[in-house]
Amino acid sequence: MNAHTPGPWMAQGNRVMAAGEQIGFINANPSCCTAEDWANARLIAAAPDLLAALQNARNVLAGIASGDLKTVSADGPALAQCRAAIAKATGEQA
């Protein structure tokens, strides 16, 4: 599997940007973008954050499965990372 473009990725208008460079776009004409287009841009921009959060959550779940309950915390970094990634993808507040 190839490595993805390093983040952070951001939705700016109808474009998806990383390090000041356009890495994708949703619709060639920004005046034609629908609410679904904007939602897709947010989801694409959040992809690296969602991947990192899922990898961290996997580690926490592996710890739970092995009986290491020290990995579980309601206000821990794994849960905060998941909340932030979901908020970025949905356009809501974390």
Side-chain angles (χ1 to χ4, degrees):
M1 177 159 103
N2 293 335
H4 63 271
T5 302
W9 293 7
M10 291 176 239
Q12 290 183 348
N14 67 330
R15 301 175 301 161
V16 178
M17 308 291 289
E21 299 289 327
Q22 180 176 322
I23 60 170
F25 67 92
I26 301 305
N27 188 315
N29 183 351
S31 64
C32 295
C33 292
T34 66
E36 184 177 2
D37 292 332
W38 301 122
N40 289 340
R42 285 192 306 272
L43 184 59
I44 292 166
D49 302 275
L50 291 166
L51 175 59
L54 186 57
Q55 290 169 326
N56 201 3
R58 175 198 56 202
N59 295 338
V60 170
L61 291 172
I64 292 169
S66 70
D68 180 11
L69 298 181
K70 294 182 291 184
T71 63
V72 181
S73 174
D75 61 349
L79 189 55
Q81 185 179 33
C82 287
R83 285 188 182 117
I86 291 168
K88 184 173 183 179
T90 61
E92 299 173 0
Q93 294 294 322

